[in-house]
Amino acid sequence: DLGSVSFHLVIMTQKNNRLVWVECKKEIVRLAAGIDPITGRLSNDVERKALRALHYFAKTLSQFEVQDIAVVGTAAFRQLKDHRRFLKRAGETLGHPIHILSGDDEARYIYRGVSIGLPKEQRFVFDIGGGSTEFVVGNGPDIVHSASCDIGCITLTQRFFNSQDIDKALFAEAEMAAKAALEPVAAGFSAIEWDSELGTSGTVKAISWALQNLNISDGIITREGLDVLRTVLLTCSNQAEMAKKLRLNPRRTSVFCGGFVLVDQAFKAFKLSYVKIAQGAIREGIIAEMMANDIHQSELLEPAILRP
C-alpha cells in the first residue's frame, strides 16, 4: 500500500477462516509532500526515498513464499504528472507493477477492511490520508454510499502549516478551506442514517492518542473532546510545544494540525457525535478481496483479524 504519507508492506495468510498477520513493514516517505503543486513533478529527494523503501520491501518479500501480490498507489499517485516514468522505476525496483487506485476504489477497500469481524449494521467510516479523504456508509459488508475528497493531511499542511510556528490566522484559513471541501461531500450523505461511526488512519489514531494524553477521553473521539483539543492547539506557539504537550510521535507532528482540522471539520460537516478507532483498513480490504476467489465472502467477513 503506497500511500501519500507512508508505504506499507503487509503479508497475511488464512488460518481457520481468519486473516492472520505474517509480516508488516512501514516506511515514512511523505510522497505527497514531494509533489510540486505547480508542475506536479516529484522531487528527486522524495523519489530516492520512495525507491529505497521499495527496495527494502523487495528484500523482505524475497524471504517469504508469497502466492499473490497486489501493489497499489493512492491519492499522491493520482496527482503525479510524471507518474508513468516513476511507476516504471518503482515497479522495477519492487519487482511488481503498481496499480493506481481511484478514490472510489480506495473507499471500497477501506470499508471492506474496516468491516472484517464487525456485526451487520449500518456504519459510517472515514479515512484521512495524506492526499485524499474517503467517506463511506455501508451495511454489513455492503457499501450504501461513498465519496472521495481530494484533500488530506499533507495537502492541507502544505497550504497552511508549512512553518514550525502555529499561526492562528492560518489555522482559521485552513478550517475554512476544509469546510469548503467537505460540506459538498457531506450533502450527499444527509439523507442516510447510520448506527456507528468509525475512523481509520494515522491521523485519527494520533488525535485519539492526544485526547488520551490530555485525559480528555479513553480513546474515543467526541465533538466535545475536539473542542478542548482545538483550544490546546491554539495555545501552542509552535509545533515543538504542541508535540510536548500532546506527547506526539515525532513522525506525526508536522501533519498533526492539518489532520486535526480535517477531523474537526468532518465532525461538523457530517454531524458526527463520536468516532471509534477501526482496527482494519485499506490493506486488510485489499487482501480480503484477493482471497475472495478462494473463500466465500461471508466466511471472510465474520472472523476478527489476529495480530501478532
Side-chain angles (χ1 to χ4, degrees):
D1 167 30
L2 310 182
S4 301
V5 178
S6 53
F7 287 6
H8 295 259
L9 168 64
V10 174
I11 302 174
M12 303 184 81
T13 190
Q14 184 257 342
K15 291 182 180 179
N16 300 321
N17 289 336
R18 296 190 178 194
L19 290 179
V20 180
W21 287 51
V22 175
E23 182 61 276
C24 180
K25 301 289 185 183
K26 177 181 179 179
E27 292 290 306
I28 302 293
V29 175
R30 300 196 191 283
L31 194 71
I35 301 175
D36 188 293
I38 298 174
T39 66
R41 301 278 178 179
L42 187 63
S43 73
N44 291 332
D45 286 346
V46 173
E47 180 169 331
R48 282 193 291 268
K49 186 183 291 186
L51 294 176
R52 281 199 302 269
L54 294 175
H55 178 71
Y56 172 54
F57 285 175
K59 289 180 65 176
T60 303
L61 281 170
S62 68
Q63 300 169 16
F64 296 88
E65 294 182 5
V66 180
Q67 292 180 323
D68 298 300
I69 297 176
V71 186
V72 300
T74 55
F77 282 85
R78 297 196 292 270
Q79 298 166 11
L80 276 175
K81 292 293 188 289
D82 58 345
H83 68 274
R84 291 182 184 276
R85 181 193 62 80
F86 177 63
L87 281 180
K88 184 174 185 296
R89 290 196 67 189
E92 289 173 350
T93 301
L94 185 61
H96 300 278
I98 299 168
H99 174 67
I100 301 177
L101 297 179
S102 67
D104 288 339
D105 287 337
E106 279 196 64
R108 185 178 82 251
Y109 286 130
I110 289 163
Y111 183 79
R112 183 161 192 170
V114 167
S115 297
I116 294 174
L118 296 183
K120 182 176 174 59
E121 64 177 2
Q122 193 108 324
R123 64 180 63 94
F124 175 92
V125 175
F126 75 103
D127 181 292
I128 294 177
S132 69
T133 300
E134 281 66 47
F135 302 95
V136 190
V137 171
N139 190 297
D142 303 315
I143 291 178
V144 174
H145 184 64
S146 67
S148 179
C149 185
D150 291 331
I151 188 171
C153 64
I154 285 185
T155 52
L156 205 64
T157 295
Q158 288 176 315
R159 289 178 61 188
F160 302 104
F161 302 109
N162 240 347
S163 168
Q164 290 295 311
D165 297 329
I166 297 177
D167 185 293
K168 291 183 180 180
L170 286 177
F171 199 99
E173 288 184 30
E175 290 177 320
M176 293 301 294
K179 179 181 179 181
L182 297 182
E183 283 189 343
V185 177
F189 290 76
S190 60
I192 306 172
E193 296 181 351
W194 49 79
D195 303 310
S196 62
E197 299 167 349
L198 299 168
T200 176
S201 72
T203 285
V204 174
K205 291 174 183 176
I207 290 174
S208 171
W209 173 257
L211 291 172
Q212 291 177 75
N213 290 338
L214 292 171
N215 294 317
I216 295 173
S217 84
D218 59 357
I220 296 175
I221 301 173
T222 64
R223 171 73 272 152
E224 295 76 17
L226 290 172
D227 289 341
V228 175
L229 182 52
R230 181 181 184 276
T231 300
V232 172
L233 288 177
L234 292 178
T235 64
C236 299
S237 59
N238 54 57
Q239 292 185 13
E241 183 182 355
M242 174 192 71
K244 185 176 180 179
K245 280 188 177 181
L246 304 182
R247 286 189 280 160
L248 292 177
N249 185 321
R251 295 183 301 184
R252 299 301 311 180
T253 301
S254 64
V255 296
F256 187 85
C257 285
F260 170 82
V261 167
L262 283 172
V263 171
D264 189 46
Q265 293 303 314
F267 260 75
K268 294 175 179 177
F270 290 87
K271 296 179 171 59
L272 304 178
S273 55
Y274 71 93
V275 164
K276 292 183 178 181
I277 307 301
Q279 295 304 310
I282 187 170
R283 292 171 287 282
E284 291 84 357
I286 291 169
I287 289 178
E289 190 153 304
M290 291 168 66
M291 297 174 68
N293 291 333
D294 301 319
I295 305 171
H296 192 272
Q297 186 175 1
S298 63
E299 295 177 328
L300 193 62
L301 292 171
E302 285 174 2
I305 296 170
L306 297 182
R307 298 180 183 272

